[in-house]
Amino acid sequence: MSSGGVARVFRGAFAHSTRDSVLSVHPDFVLGVNEQGKIVFFEDGTNVESLSHQWGFETSDIELLAPHEFFMPGMVDTHIHAPQYAYTGTHLDLPLLDWLNRYTFPVESCYVDLDFAQDIYTKVVKRTLCNGTTTACYFATIHTEASLLLGQIADDFGQRALIGKVCMDQNSMVPNYKEQTDECKDETDRFIHELLKKKYALVKPIVTPRFAISCSSSLLSDLGKIAKNNDLHIQSHISENKEEVQLVKELFPDCTSYTDVYLKHGLLTDKTVMAHGCYLTDEELMIFHEKGAAVSHCPNSNISLISGFLNVRNVLKHKVKLGLGTDVAGGYSPSMLDAIRRAMDTSKALCIQDAQLQPLSYKEAFRLATLGGSEVLSLDDCTGNFEVGKDFDALRVNICVPGSPIDLFPRDDLEVILEKFLNLGDDRNIVKVYVAGKQVVPFS
């Protein structure tokens, strides 16, 4: 079919978000993907004849979706800890700082063992892909070799990923899980250099100070310079729970806020994503907006570790880029569908406390999980929806697979089917996953 520059053509129902529309549904559209995996046309199904002449494909080559199927953009997990997948779904009995010391740091220390890392990292990449995560923003550990291995595994399976070697030179609770400041800087440089040298099409490094508590001022400054000199993304945590916010105040008395710590060290840019932000003030959100920095909302983790609620409406009011994260394993589910549901639950819980607030709709949550996430990671020029010129990152969803958790009724239209999938569906309904035009699920 590629004679006219088109490798695949799909016809059926599509749902996505655009800049102007929180949800745009198309019951009968036709979409073409070229050899490079980019979308070359996305038009009403009635135009199929003229498109076939223009692009040189036979109408018999079109892949037709069934009436109970639709395409949606791949989901973007803007915050996930790959090494913590080893204990996901367990150990949710402590608040953040105790939880890190009791469970996280001892487990992350094990990633010096590359066989251990290979096993867990293979499982987390496969699991997230099956759950429809086409793009993942991963924290790894302090270990350079294991972090490079995560990049290789993501590339092997075809997932779009940002990989962060974790940086921390302060850790009094688990003293063996940290690096010396110079060592951390040198290893971060080496990690970035080695990962870029691989020339993976969809896997890139991201500068990753764990959070202000575990990094010296000197290390934070070094990381800010590394990010600037290499024009790299940055990720960390901010204002997750009250105890942490208070501790940051004590550790950085010269800074006016948690946000100010990252700002002063050159770590708040238009390619920065900060997880949580439950306790960000309006003043801090204004700085986020000015700098173009983004927030990753991780509602499952915020509830599971009893950290707090993020007021999504307030973040959006300040025009701050916002996406969703699973935050495995503080969040017990690796599925972005869970993140969508918990985001709506959190929003409704806040509405119970304050009747003035408007709850988050399923359409808005859908946008946060797709286009919103791509904006957060500054990847919205190449993914997030079905605009012509973008990569085809997509989920083929089938509501009527054997054993489906969803029942359909005669009057269910496309919007109803989408809403049911977001609220009730799971990986069984995600029958195919495409990243940059390549089918990655089912695994070959």
Side-chain angles (χ1 to χ4, degrees), residues 192-230:
I192 291 163
H193 176 72
E194 292 289 328
L195 190 60
L196 290 174
K197 204 165 74 177
K198 305 279 188 193
K199 292 191 163 37
Y200 296 139
L202 303 173
V203 178
K204 300 287 182 276
I206 179 167
V207 174
T208 306
R210 183 172 212 114
F211 59 168
I213 291 172
S214 65
C215 298
S216 64
S217 181
S218 160
L219 177 58
L220 290 174
S221 291
D222 286 340
L223 296 175
K225 286 175 191 140
I226 288 171
K228 186 177 182 183
N229 294 339
N230 296 279

Side-chain angles (χ1 to χ4, degrees), residues 313 326 369:
R313 281 273 169 252
T326 59

Side-chain angles (χ1 to χ4, degrees), residues 154-366:
D155 178 69
D156 285 345
F157 283 100
Q159 190 172 49
R160 191 184 298 276
L162 291 168
I163 311 284
K165 176 216 161 299
V166 169
C167 298
M168 47 195 291
D169 62 349
Q170 315 274 310
N171 188 4
S172 57
M173 299 294 186
V174 185
N176 65 328
Y177 189 58
K178 66 178 177 189
E179 295 172 284
Q180 297 302 315
T181 309
D182 287 346
E183 178 195 12
C184 188
K185 177 179 178 287
D186 292 345
E187 284 300 297
T188 299
D189 274 328
R190 182 166 81 85
F191 167 73
I192 291 163
H193 176 72
E194 292 289 328
L195 190 60
L196 290 174
K197 204 165 74 177
K198 305 279 188 193
K199 292 191 163 37
Y200 296 139
L202 303 173
V203 178
K204 300 287 182 276
I206 179 167
V207 174
T208 306
R210 183 172 212 114
F211 59 168
I213 291 172
S214 65
C215 298
S216 64
S217 181
S218 160
L219 177 58
L220 290 174
S221 291
D222 286 340
L223 296 175
K225 286 175 191 140
I226 288 171
K228 186 177 182 183
N229 294 339
N230 296 279
D231 188 27
L232 291 179
H233 287 77
I234 297 162
Q235 65 178 347
S236 194
H237 300 86
I238 196 165
S239 300
E240 184 173 354
N241 87 358
K242 289 177 178 175
E243 187 188 355
E244 167 217 14
V245 174
Q246 185 53 40
L247 198 47
V248 170
K249 249 185 205 154
E250 292 162 17
L251 290 170
F252 296 89
D254 297 344
C255 295
T256 57
S257 66
Y258 205 153
T259 298
D260 195 40
V261 174
Y262 292 124
L263 183 67
K264 280 200 165 80
H265 293 92
L267 291 163
L268 211 65
T269 74
D270 61 357
K271 291 172 93 168
T272 294
V273 51
M274 289 285 169
H276 304 293
C278 298
Y279 300 99
L280 291 173
T281 63
D282 286 353
E283 291 74 23
E284 289 177 281
L285 287 170
M286 282 162 70
I287 296 167
F288 265 73
H289 171 71
E290 284 161 22
K291 289 291 171 185
V295 172
S296 170
H297 178 30
C298 305
N300 185 318
S301 164
N302 292 341
I303 296 165
S304 292
L305 300 182
I306 321 173
S307 296
F309 290 142
L310 177 70
N311 184 341
V312 164
R313 281 273 169 252
N314 198 40
V315 177
L316 295 173
K317 188 180 85 181
H318 283 87
K319 294 187 166 53
V320 172
K321 294 184 292 188
L322 183 68
L324 300 180
T326 59
D327 195 21
V328 162
Y332 56 75
S333 172
S335 170
M336 284 295 293
L337 289 172
D338 175 85
I340 286 172
R341 293 161 195 170
R342 303 290 156 255
M344 291 191 284
D345 289 348
T346 294
S347 168
K348 288 170 184 172
L350 286 169
C351 290
I352 293 169
Q353 296 172 357
D354 180 358
Q356 303 299 308
L357 283 176
Q358 276 291 105
L360 199 64
S361 69
Y362 83 89
K363 297 178 183 181
E364 291 171 301
F366 171 81

